[in-house]
Amino acid sequence: MSLIILGSVAFDALETPFGKTDKIVGGAASYAAIAASYLHKQVKIIGVVGEDFGEENLAKFTSHNIDIDGIQIKEGEKSFFWSGRYHNDMNTRDTLVTELNVLGDFDPIIPDSYQGAEYILLGNLSPQVQLTALNRLRKRPKLIVLDTMNFWMNIALDDLKEVLKKVDVLTINDEEARQLSGQFSLVKAAGVILNMGPKYLIIKKGEHGALLFGENKIFSAPALPLAEVFDPTGAGDTFAGGFIGYLASTDVLDFESMKSGVIFGSALASFCVEKFGIERIEKLTIHDINERVQLFSSLTSFNI
Amino acid sequence: MSLIILGSVAFDALETPFGKTDKIVGGAASYAAIAASYLHKQVKIIGVVGEDFGEENLAKFTSHNIDIDGIQIKEGEKSFFWSGRYHNDMNTRDTLVTELNVLGDFDPIIPDSYQGAEYILLGNLSPQVQLTALNRLRKRPKLIVLDTMNFWMNIALDDLKEVLKKVDVLTINDEEARQLSGQFSLVKAAGVILNMGPKYLIIKKGEHGALLFGENKIFSAPALPLAEVFDPTGAGDTFAGGFIGYLASTDVLDFESMKSGVIFGSALASFCVEKFGIERIEKLTIHDINERVQLFSSLTSFNI
């Protein structure tokens, strides 16, 4: 029951009101794969890095038993690099530097050993690359989860709509749901988006939690109220990784299971924002995660 | 076990993207008392109206078994009148008209029959009037709930801080919590505000639900995801009325009970926004309310 995570594997340099970093490991696939690895034992990345990425950074995946056969290493080239500065409210940020480097002509090659995977997360990347990867799978996975962002809605909407037709679950944030659907009400937005292909839609609302739509039902998950958000980078990718990692581990795909997946994703994301980059999520135990999930439970449970 | 609701009893004229109204019954005490009346049998209003308010409008309270002995009727004067227009996002609005009329020199007289009340909601009004009413109660109620808004933080902060020292529960929205505390993080804001007097704080987040803080615990209540918000006027007052009405009916004041009160308040508020003014909440049954509360339960429950 293997789980493929497609996405960027990269370097980030981050600046928040709490401090700044040099180049550290980032990228959607990095966050998602590490998050998923706590819940599922057969996680496999597809991505590309430059020669600069280095063995010590690849070891961050292999030490979590993540298969990196699908990470292409381009000799003499550089890894994707993004640098950004968050504003005081931590909800808005400025991009300082974007160097596409090896991601510019990324051709997602699927190792033979990855074929037959039953779960795939198409992490945030160009819809064209997501589509190519999907088309190269000889067997359709049981569950295809797509993560994307407003950037692709702005420059590659037609491609994005093609991918949307082929996936089971879409995860986006509230503003992106409004942009994609042209509806302000999230309930109406969900109706429009579920007609574009996915059977389930997860709308991430940051500090306000997440909504899961599907099977004519709605589930509302809280976010953990935090005194500080130290660095929000990668929280969405971590959420998606936790979500699909949970589903792959239980291998049950009904609404109840999706709800639990949203809670596990939210719990992992709540760790992610406590430190810079992957620093917090690379040092978790399953005990930490279960304890956090229990916090989510006590946060919302009531008896009437 | 009587419950006093202090607040404005007024006329509103409303305009939303869905339509507009002539003068209709409004005012914090109107919404709160009607909401509370479904859950508790001894609701008593303190307020003031002009001669123009009329028997047929007072009957909206008496038909819900609400005691109106505490509503002063000023001969030859006019009721408080507010008119506003909501923007397309329904989260912002312009005030078109504010005529204080009888509210300008409102002296909150407590009828003898109201003395000994064990619950009081100090609905949104000038902190000075809230304080006067409180000081005129011969016995301190078991539970004092205060509702207020940014307007009073801007023009009467010192008076508001005086009232805050005397109350058990404060209900405000997220922006008001930030303004009152000077903290952006709602967790930090709650810490500051709970040091100002109240034992419990409820932060209302509109479409994102509500947070309850107290006893070093946090409860996160969802809002019902709605396709349309027809008219948000009075939703906060309705919430406060449902909250205290539930507590007065159970007469248990621990954190568990407060959580249930938040859910009942949220359920009543979710009805309020479905039509103009009090139109929807004046025609509820306890069955409607219990059904809506069950919806809240299914919206958030998960098993892990």
Side-chain angles (χ1 to χ4, degrees):
Chain A
M1 199 71 61
S2 66
L3 161 58
I4 296 175
I5 309 270
L6 167 76
S8 53
V9 177
F11 285 125
D12 289 343
L14 308 169
E15 209 175 315
T16 80
F18 302 101
K20 58 188 290 185
T21 70
D22 289 330
K23 280 191 178 184
I24 57 174
V25 170
S30 305
Y31 287 98
I34 291 172
S37 74
Y38 291 102
L39 304 172
H40 188 66
K41 293 300 150 219
Q42 295 176 57
V43 178
K44 300 169 185 299
I45 295 186
I46 299 175
V48 61
V49 296
E51 198 178 340
D52 56 345
F53 198 73
E55 285 300 324
E56 74 283 12
N57 286 322
L58 290 171
K60 290 179 185 290
F61 305 122
T62 49
S63 66
H64 285 85
N65 293 312
I66 296 165
D67 190 335
I68 58 168
D69 280 359
I71 300 185
Q72 303 165 45
I73 303 166
K74 300 280 186 180
E75 298 296 322
E77 295 188 48
K78 290 174 77 182
S79 302
F80 175 60
F81 173 61
W82 178 80
S83 170
R85 180 190 294 135
Y86 288 87
H87 300 172
N88 280 327
D89 67 3
M90 300 297 264
N91 287 321
T92 50
R93 66 186 187 187
D94 295 325
T95 289
L96 304 177
V97 180
T98 304
E99 292 173 9
L100 274 182
N101 299 327
V102 291
L103 209 59
D105 56 357
F106 176 32
D107 182 40
I109 295 166
I110 321 273
D112 268 351
S113 61
Y114 284 29
Q115 293 291 351
E118 297 196 272
Y119 289 84
I120 187 168
L121 170 63
L122 304 172
N124 180 34
L125 262 187
S126 123
Q128 194 55 60
V129 174
Q130 292 174 321
L131 205 55
T132 302
L134 210 49
N135 288 337
R136 287 177 179 171
L137 295 176
R138 290 182 212 129
K139 196 189 91 185
R140 188 197 193 275
K142 237 186 211 182
L143 188 79
I144 303 171
V145 177
L146 175 71
D147 190 32
T148 188
M149 66 185 294
N150 52 1
F151 180 74
W152 306 114
M153 296 174 194
N154 295 336
I155 70 161
L157 186 58
D158 288 343
D159 289 346
L160 179 58
K161 286 186 174 172
E162 277 310 299
V163 192
L164 273 173
K165 288 181 193 160
K166 296 173 184 281
V167 308
D168 302 299
V169 184
L170 171 66
T171 74
I172 45 178
N173 73 28
D174 41 2
E175 284 318 308
E176 289 157 355
R178 289 181 169 126
Q179 178 173 350
L180 184 59
S181 66
Q183 294 287 336
F184 183 79
S185 150
L186 296 181
V187 173
K188 288 188 174 181
V192 171
I193 293 167
L194 290 174
N195 271 325
M196 294 177 170
K199 288 193 282 292
Y200 300 94
L201 168 68
I202 298 169
I203 300 182
K204 299 170 287 182
K205 303 192 297 172
E207 62 161 331
H208 301 300
L211 294 171
L212 165 67
F213 296 86
E215 301 181 17
N216 289 312
K217 296 177 198 165
I218 309 181
F219 173 61
S220 171
L224 201 69
L226 296 168
E228 302 283 13
V229 170
F230 190 83
D231 169 24
T233 311
D237 308 307
T238 302
F239 173 90
F243 172 75
I244 199 167
Y246 175 83
L247 290 173
S249 74
T250 60
D251 200 28
V252 178
L253 297 179
D254 58 14
F255 196 76
E256 282 304 310
S257 195
M258 298 274 162
K259 281 160 63 170
S260 302
V262 168
I263 295 295
F264 272 92
S266 302
L268 279 152
S270 76
F271 284 115
C272 179
V273 303
E274 291 179 357
K275 293 197 177 181
F276 274 126
I278 59 170
E279 200 182 328
R280 183 70 180 98
I281 61 164
E282 66 173 339
K283 285 172 188 152
L284 293 173
T285 65
I286 189 68
H287 177 72
D288 295 332
I289 296 168
N290 286 332
E291 210 171 58
R292 186 68 50 108
V293 164
Q294 286 313 312
L295 261 184
F296 274 81
S297 176
S298 64
L299 187 64
T300 55
S301 68
F302 61 90
N303 289 307
I304 287 182
Chain B
M1 200 70 60
S2 66
L3 161 57
I4 297 175
I5 309 269
L6 168 75
S8 53
V9 178
F11 284 126
D12 288 343
L14 308 169
E15 210 176 314
T16 78
F18 302 102
K20 56 189 290 187
T21 71
D22 291 329
K23 280 191 178 184
I24 57 173
V25 170
S30 305
Y31 287 99
I34 292 172
S37 74
Y38 291 103
L39 304 172
H40 189 64
K41 292 301 150 216
Q42 295 177 57
V43 177
K44 301 167 184 300
I45 294 187
I46 299 175
V48 62
V49 295
E51 199 178 338
D52 57 345
F53 199 73
E55 285 300 323
E56 75 283 11
N57 286 323
L58 290 171
K60 290 178 182 293
F61 304 122
T62 50
S63 66
H64 285 84
N65 293 312
I66 297 166
D67 191 335
I68 58 168
D69 280 1
I71 299 186
Q72 303 165 45
I73 302 166
K74 300 281 187 180
E75 298 296 322
E77 295 189 50
K78 289 172 78 182
S79 302
F80 175 60
F81 173 61
W82 178 80
S83 170
R85 181 191 294 136
Y86 288 88
H87 300 172
N88 280 329
D89 67 4
M90 300 298 264
N91 287 322
T92 50
R93 66 186 187 189
D94 295 326
T95 289
L96 304 176
V97 181
T98 305
E99 293 173 7
L100 275 182
N101 299 328
V102 293
L103 209 60
D105 57 356
F106 177 32
D107 183 40
I109 295 167
I110 320 275
D112 269 352
S113 61
Y114 283 30
Q115 292 293 348
E118 297 195 274
Y119 289 83
I120 188 168
L121 169 64
L122 303 172
N124 180 34
L125 262 187
S126 122
Q128 194 55 60
V129 173
Q130 292 174 322
L131 206 54
T132 302
L134 210 49
N135 288 337
R136 286 176 178 170
L137 296 177
R138 290 183 211 127
K139 196 190 92 187
R140 188 198 193 274
K142 238 185 210 183
L143 187 79
I144 303 172
V145 177
L146 175 70
D147 190 31
T148 190
M149 67 185 294
N150 52 359
F151 180 74
W152 306 112
M153 297 174 193
N154 295 335
I155 71 162
L157 186 59
D158 288 344
D159 289 345
L160 178 59
K161 286 186 173 172
E162 276 310 298
V163 192
L164 273 174
K165 288 180 193 160
K166 296 173 184 280
V167 308
D168 301 298
V169 184
L170 171 66
T171 73
I172 45 177
N173 73 27
D174 42 2
E175 284 318 307
E176 290 158 354
R178 289 181 168 127
Q179 178 173 350
L180 184 59
S181 66
Q183 293 288 337
F184 183 80
S185 150
L186 295 181
V187 173
K188 288 188 173 179
V192 171
I193 293 168
L194 290 173
N195 271 325
M196 294 177 170
K199 286 192 283 291
Y200 300 94
L201 168 67
I202 297 169
I203 299 182
K204 299 169 287 182
K205 303 191 296 171
E207 63 161 329
H208 301 301
L211 294 171
L212 165 68
F213 296 87
E215 302 180 16
N216 291 312
K217 296 176 199 165
I218 309 181
F219 173 60
S220 172
L224 201 69
L226 296 168
E228 301 283 14
V229 170
F230 190 83
D231 169 25
T233 312
D237 308 307
T238 302
F239 173 89
F243 172 76
I244 198 167
Y246 175 82
L247 291 173
S249 73
T250 59
D251 201 28
V252 177
L253 297 179
D254 58 14
F255 196 76
E256 282 304 310
S257 195
M258 298 274 161
K259 282 161 59 171
S260 302
V262 168
I263 294 296
F264 271 92
S266 303
L268 278 151
S270 77
F271 284 116
C272 179
V273 303
E274 290 179 358
K275 293 197 176 182
F276 274 127
I278 59 170
E279 200 182 331
R280 183 72 181 98
I281 60 162
E282 65 175 337
K283 285 173 189 151
L284 292 173
T285 64
I286 189 66
H287 176 73
D288 295 332
I289 296 168
N290 286 332
E291 211 172 58
R292 185 69 51 107
V293 164
Q294 287 313 313
L295 262 184
F296 273 81
S297 177
S298 65
L299 187 64
T300 55
S301 68
F302 61 91
N303 289 308
I304 286 181

